[in-house]
Amino acid sequence: MMAKSEVGMADSSPAGDFLHPLQETMPREQLAELQLARLRESVRNAHDNVPMQRARLRAAGVSPDDIRTLADLQRLPFTVKTDLRDHYPFGMFARPVAGLARLHASSGTTGKPTVVGYTRDDLETWADLMARTLRCAGARPGDVIHNAFGYGLFTGGLGAHYGAERMGGVIVPASGGSTERQVALIMDFGARVLCATPSYALAIAEMAEQSGVDLRKSALRVGMFGAEPWSEAMRREIEARLGLQAIDNYGLSEVMGPGVAVECAQQDGMHGWEDHFLFEVIDPDTLQPMGEGEAGELVITTLTKQALPMLRYRTRDITRISTAPCACGRTHLRLLRVAGRSDDMLIVRGVNVYPSQIEAVLVGLPRIAPHYLLVVERRGSLDHVSVEVEARAGVPAEQFQAIAHDVAHHIKSLVGISTDVTVKPPGEIPRSQGKAVRVRDLRPPPRLAQ
Ligand SMILES: [Zn+2]
């Protein structure tokens, strides 16, 4: 209902930094009032229209009328990914299917897919927020926006697509794959903005270099990357090879899709759009809220979703929150770089390891290309980690062994685990077309299912 009015408030000045200046710079006290009013609506929607949510709220002893302050959020039960699978396909929806306008689904590695639905108004809100997100990232009306996120059931492609159109961009729906053609289209159409996963952005850079195309001399200025965790070192590598400012954005289909949070030009944390989402950080073990600046699991409550209201959705992503003022003038809190998913965290001989930590080591080494694969196995009772890396073009094979030794030494000293490193010739590690597969965990399941 409120989504449509926001379009009318768009800043018409072409030099303006904000697509929705009133919302993006709203004083935090006013933002909190808006959040409380919308939270009450959202809890009411879940309670009245989703039997499973009503039962849970009753079990927790909370009714929608009990939400009097934002602190009452703590009384609401959590929602987890398995809830969506357990109520497959439509059991979490607050609207009949005939009243929806679109369905998306993500394929799970195990079991049933996760299905999400949108009303017509939900799609309007999503397009508005994604337009705001692109503008915040540095896109401007009239920009050619090359969208290499996959189109289809995955929310990345269509999410960026409709946002780019609403922002006033010229969208090129490239989707994933045919990397050589993508390079040609970026050059020929004069794309100023590239949307992709960070790993696919690197694959595009590599293909360009192999074809003798210098993307640093192209019109590209802004890269909006997301859908997988990436390190600061990877960001600098992408910026150097593509000649653009690489902006991190965050979203997940369970709460909407892309467009939930995005960096501004400061590149110092992603502004989470608090007029549509409530963000919390909790200790994943005790489920208690963490203080500002403390790392923990990100939990999101939707404030305006009609078809699929989410109460305290546990994202499994690890982050920290800052409400400190940002130089860009936006008042919305910042999610300080998502370090990785708690699901992705490997516990190797008792040491907590995120693949992004190993990535940060690899990307910093001069003779290594930024492609890698971690294989974790159980040998006897001990965990064993193999790291496959790739030499840069032109590095002689006689150096591979010395490089491997060097890489293992750096991982040991910076991450704290011993690894077996193999250096492979350029091009031997499979490239991703979408979300990269960086880890093969061949150990028996580490914990009981939820
Ligand atoms: Zn900012």
Side-chain angles (χ1 to χ4, degrees):
M1 52 180 173
M2 284 166 236
K4 280 175 185 159
S5 64
E6 286 175 0
V7 182
M9 292 176 198
D11 183 357
S12 57
S13 151
D17 280 322
F18 311 119
L19 185 64
H20 306 135
L22 286 180
Q23 288 82 2
E24 292 176 62
T25 64
M26 187 180 281
R28 293 198 59 77
E29 309 76 56
Q30 208 180 322
L31 203 46
E33 281 172 35
L34 178 66
Q35 286 188 311
L36 178 59
R38 289 183 168 182
L39 175 64
R40 293 173 61 102
E41 290 283 315
S42 210
V43 173
R44 169 70 64 194
N45 183 25
H47 175 275
D48 290 357
N49 300 307
V50 188
M52 164 272 189
Q53 297 276 25
R54 183 162 57 245
R56 272 208 188 160
L57 287 164
R58 276 194 187 146
V62 196
S63 85
D65 294 330
D66 294 336
I67 308 297
R68 297 197 179 88
T69 72
L70 284 179
D72 291 323
L73 180 69
Q74 307 291 329
R75 302 177 58 188
L76 300 177
F78 290 101
T79 310
V80 293
K81 194 179 184 85
T82 45
D83 289 329
L84 283 154
R85 298 211 181 105
D86 292 346
H87 296 84
Y88 176 88
F90 306 140
M92 299 276 290
F93 290 1
R95 295 288 183 279
V97 174
L100 304 185
R102 200 192 299 165
L103 296 167
H104 277 282
S106 65
S107 55
T109 44
T110 54
K112 288 169 179 157
T114 305
V115 181
V116 296
Y118 305 80
T119 62
R120 174 55 51 193
D121 282 352
D122 287 336
L123 291 179
E124 293 289 328
T125 304
W126 189 12
D128 279 345
L129 283 179
M130 198 61 207
R132 183 198 289 183
T133 293
L134 279 158
R135 185 74 170 267
C136 184
R140 296 288 175 269
D143 281 353
V144 173
I145 299 176
H146 185 98
N147 185 17
F149 280 122
Y151 279 65
L153 288 170
F154 168 58
T155 51
L158 288 178
H161 181 99
Y162 289 108
E165 284 190 351
R166 178 141 308 172
M167 197 276 306
V170 184
I171 183 81
V172 180
S175 196
S178 308
T179 310
E180 195 163 6
R181 191 181 59 177
Q182 303 233 14
V183 171
L185 294 182
I186 288 169
M187 296 302 290
D188 297 348
F189 293 177
R192 186 174 174 273
V193 180
L194 171 64
C195 300
T197 59
S199 55
Y200 192 56
L202 264 188
I204 289 174
E206 185 172 58
M207 177 61 75
E209 286 154 16
Q210 283 167 12
S211 329
V213 174
D214 191 351
L215 285 175
R216 293 170 303 176
K217 296 191 177 125
S218 73
L220 282 179
R221 292 294 176 274
V222 176
M224 207 194 57
F225 303 125
E228 62 190 23
W230 46 312
S231 62
E232 195 60 33
M234 175 78 111
R235 186 215 295 269
R236 297 305 161 207
E237 170 92 19
I238 291 172
E239 290 189 328
R241 289 171 74 174
L242 289 169
L244 46 67
Q245 187 176 31
I247 296 292
D248 198 7
N249 88 96
Y250 177 81
L252 63 172
S253 61
E254 294 89 336
V255 302
M256 184 176 76
V260 174
V262 67
E263 288 178 330
C264 61
Q266 305 294 319
Q267 294 178 308
D268 189 18
M270 296 180 284
H271 288 288
W273 302 129
E274 290 183 90
D275 47 342
H276 292 272
F277 306 99
L278 256 176
F279 299 91
E280 302 170 81
V281 169
I282 62 163
D283 180 317
D285 297 319
T286 66
L287 307 183
Q288 292 305 304
M290 307 288 283
E292 177 161 341
E294 290 180 325
E297 180 180 342
L298 180 65
V299 172
I300 301 178
T301 298
T302 63
L303 296 176
T304 52
K305 287 274 294 295
Q306 295 176 342
L308 186 53
M310 273 294 175
L311 305 181
R312 304 191 85 194
Y313 184 75
R314 293 186 58 183
T315 66
R316 303 281 176 187
D317 290 316
I318 303 295
T319 189
R320 292 176 291 133
I321 280 178
S322 169
T323 57
C326 182
C328 74
R330 289 178 182 84
T331 51
H332 295 231
L333 59 70
R334 280 172 291 155
L335 305 175
L336 302 177
R337 215 166 169 79
V338 173
R341 292 178 69 81
S342 55
D343 289 349
D344 291 345
M345 190 182 79
L346 301 166
I347 301 175
V348 178
R349 301 192 187 188
V351 179
N352 294 353
V353 178
Y354 286 102
S356 56
Q357 288 177 289
I358 293 183
E359 174 184 302
V361 173
L362 299 177
V363 175
L365 297 173
R367 292 175 292 179
I368 298 292
H371 305 282
Y372 64 94
L373 182 64
L374 307 180
V375 182
V376 190
E377 297 164 282
R378 181 74 41 85
R379 290 188 187 168
S381 60
L382 287 178
D383 298 325
H384 184 270
V385 182
S386 314
V387 184
E388 294 179 4
V389 299
E390 212 179 89
R392 282 198 191 272
V395 174
E398 306 84 72
Q399 294 186 11
F400 285 8
Q401 193 148 6
I403 295 171
H405 188 263
D406 192 38
V407 170
H409 172 75
H410 276 85
I411 293 174
K412 175 72 184 169
S413 59
L414 294 168
V415 183
I417 56 167
S418 298
T419 53
D420 266 351
V421 178
T422 311
V423 179
K424 300 193 150 196
E428 295 246 322
I429 292 180
R431 303 296 190 257
S432 80
Q433 307 269 308
K435 293 191 191 196
V437 177
R438 306 288 206 195
V439 181
R440 270 194 214 132
D441 195 338
L442 305 176
R443 294 175 295 183
R447 60 187 155 203
L448 295 170
Q450 262 176 331

